[in-house]
Amino acid sequence: DVKFKTFGCGAAIATPDLMDYKGYTFIGWFDADGNPMPATIPAIQNQAYYAKYEAIKYVATFDANGGQFADGNGTATYEGIYNSTIVKPANPTKEGYTFSKWSPTVPNRMPASNPTYVAQWTVNSYKINYYVDGALVWTDTYQYGADVTAWTYVPAEGVSFGGWGDQVPATMPANDVNVYGTTGVNTYNAIFTIDGEEFDRETYNYGDTIVPPTAPAKPGYTFAWNFTEH
């Protein structure tokens, strides 16, 4: 806008009311040569003065909310004037999580403020794969950081399981975990007694065929083995 005011030589200059310009700060009145307006009218016929404004620089802060950016920092910034195009940083990373969005939503243009945008995360899930004797027998899924309960493997009859050792983590890490266990066939003793006295003892694997020893002869008796489990 252009406004005209008439003053006598040497009179104090009264400036007009200024319009507010969003995102700008008023610096002062200046003539066409860039000289500041004097306090009183100089001894010249006419003089034009121009309002000078300076763009305000605003800072948008991006908070990684527990994550970090490529440079290792937990925050990143964009500095620009009002209505400039906001350049967002590359999405941050966080162990065990996937970046979801910025909150609040980042606008395309810089507002006349210093906003802060906070990263929102979605927790990841990972697998625990249980192998017995080299074969996958079970898979559990846990969210990162969750308490883990080791899966209980029940071996077949006559088979012993060696356990998982310390392979199962107490809490879920940010990766899949493979856990390995082995089994072994149980061994048992076959004890042969005659008239209450141990006659022989043999060790067998579960499922093996028991071959009884040859019993001694006893006059007047017919011999037979009677098998019982203990």
Side-chain angles (χ1 to χ4, degrees), residues 135-221:
L136 178 64
V137 293
W138 189 259
T139 296
D140 277 332
T141 301
Y142 289 92
Q143 290 184 340
Y144 170 73
D147 292 338
V148 173
T149 300
W151 177 65
T152 300
Y153 175 72
V154 179
E157 182 182 20
V159 177
S160 294
F161 177 58
W164 307 116
D166 59 357
Q167 299 176 77
V168 181
T171 58
M172 196 65 203
N175 54 265
D176 292 342
V177 176
N178 293 331
V179 177
Y180 300 90
T182 56
T183 60
V185 178
N186 295 341
T187 58
Y188 302 94
N189 290 322
I191 302 172
F192 301 88
T193 60
I194 298 177
D195 294 336
E197 298 292 332
E198 184 173 326
F199 174 74
D200 193 8
R201 179 185 295 252
E202 299 292 339
T203 300
Y204 290 92
N205 289 330
Y206 173 77
D208 286 352
T209 300
I210 297 176
V211 180
T214 302
K218 186 175 181 180
Y221 289 85

Side-chain angles (χ1 to χ4, degrees), residues 24-101:
Y24 290 83
T25 298
F26 175 69
I27 301 300
W29 294 96
F30 296 85
D31 63 20
D33 296 323
N35 300 310
M37 182 181 71
T40 59
I41 293 295
I44 55 177
Q45 184 175 5
N46 296 307
Q47 182 63 50
Y49 294 102
Y50 304 90
K52 183 176 181 180
Y53 290 85
E54 182 176 75
I56 301 172
K57 289 185 177 180
Y58 297 99
V59 177
T61 300
F62 296 86
D63 180 355
N65 190 20
Q68 66 178 24
F69 295 95
D71 60 4
N73 290 323
T75 58
T77 58
Y78 165 77
E79 182 176 307
I81 64 173
Y82 168 68
N83 210 35
S84 60
T85 301
I86 294 181
V87 180
K88 293 186 290 187
N91 292 338
T93 57
K94 183 178 180 180
E95 185 180 38
Y97 292 82
T98 297
F99 176 79
S100 176
K101 62 180 180 179

